[in-house]
Amino acid sequence: MTRLSLRNPLLTPEQIVQSPSQRQGMSQTLELDLRAYGCHLVEAAGIVLRVPQVVMASAQVLFQRFYYLASFQDYPLRGTVLGALFLACKVEESPKSVRSIINVVDIIIKRDRGYPEIVTDGYDAEYYDLKNEMVIGEMQILRRLGFNVQVELPYGLLVNYLRCLELTEHPLIPQLSWNYLNDLLRTPVYVCFQPETIACGVIYLAARKCGVSLPASPPWWIVFDANEEDIKQ
């Protein structure tokens, strides 16, 4: 019997050690660069489309999950970015038209590569190729993830934890912690740890950087259902 959970699915130790792309000969450095670039495309497109941050974050997590179940060699990055963004817009109830998503992502890629920034008119072959990539990308994400597209994010937890620790008025820690959460979206962290651990981890890092001591008796992380080893990792 299959049991569905609202908790984020995490990688197994075997998946962490070697992804499908690495098993097919891709270097870890190149794979991490591709993951970061894919997340960059999602974020840049989301800003232009003016979608809520939860949409961009969810799309980046879906993108990261997918490439631990499939390889870059088999599923091109552009189609997966289009599919993840389109799917996240629907899941988070912030729908955008297919044409808008395609045109924005296409222009960002062209700009990054130094190509002429020509917008497809919605009727040419290039547009239909991109639309086909989007449909296949979304379908493959759903298939590989078993339709488990629930994404629990740590942003709300971070705000509550900072309030409990009386750090909301600190001049640096709240914004620094928030920035860390955004930066981590381009890494595998969101598919390795649950949101409670991630929220505690960024607070730990920000407090250490700012030279602020956190409660040690009892240890502060215990209250937030996290453990020290995971936080430090």
Side-chain angles (χ1 to χ4, degrees), residues 38-48 56 60 85 108 182 186:
C39 291
H40 154 71
L41 290 178
V42 170
E43 182 179 10
I47 292 172
V48 175
M56 293 182 277
Q60 290 176 74
L85 190 54
I108 293 172
N182 291 333
R186 301 191 183 195

Side-chain angles (χ1 to χ4, degrees), residues 161 196-198 200 221-228 230-231:
Y161 292 177
E196 298 87 353
T197 300
I198 299 173
C200 289
W221 57 79
I222 294 179
V223 180
F224 304 135
D225 296 324
N227 69 71
E228 185 179 16
D230 287 345
I231 291 171

Side-chain angles (χ1 to χ4, degrees), residues 98-164:
V98 170
R99 184 173 179 179
S100 297
I101 295 174
I102 287 175
N103 283 338
V104 169
V105 171
D106 182 47
I107 286 297
I108 293 172
I109 292 175
K110 288 176 178 175
R111 180 174 298 174
D112 288 344
R113 293 181 176 181
Y115 295 166
E117 297 176 21
I118 301 173
V119 180
T120 60
D121 61 14
Y123 298 100
D124 56 17
E126 182 182 9
Y127 174 80
Y128 283 106
D129 287 343
L130 289 167
K131 184 177 181 181
N132 188 50
E133 285 185 25
M134 171 187 280
V135 172
I136 293 175
E138 180 189 27
M139 179 183 67
Q140 290 298 334
I141 291 172
L142 289 171
R143 175 174 171 269
R144 292 281 179 168
L145 300 186
F147 286 80
N148 185 1
V149 293
Q150 167 73 19
V151 177
E152 185 182 359
L153 297 167
Y155 292 92
L157 293 174
L158 174 64
V159 174
N160 290 332
Y161 292 177
L162 289 173
R163 186 179 294 119
C164 291

Side-chain angles (χ1 to χ4, degrees), residues 42-47 51-61 85 88 185:
V42 170
E43 182 179 10
I47 292 172
V51 298
Q53 185 172 12
V54 65
V55 174
M56 293 182 277
S58 295
Q60 290 176 74
V61 174
L85 190 54
L185 286 166

Side-chain angles (χ1 to χ4, degrees), residues 18-27 30-31 69-75 144:
Q18 194 170 56
S19 68
S21 297
Q22 292 177 46
R23 287 199 298 270
Q24 291 190 14
M26 180 177 289
S27 69
L30 177 57
E31 181 182 6
L69 297 170
S71 71
F72 282 98
Q73 293 95 319
D74 294 333
Y75 299 95
R144 292 281 179 168

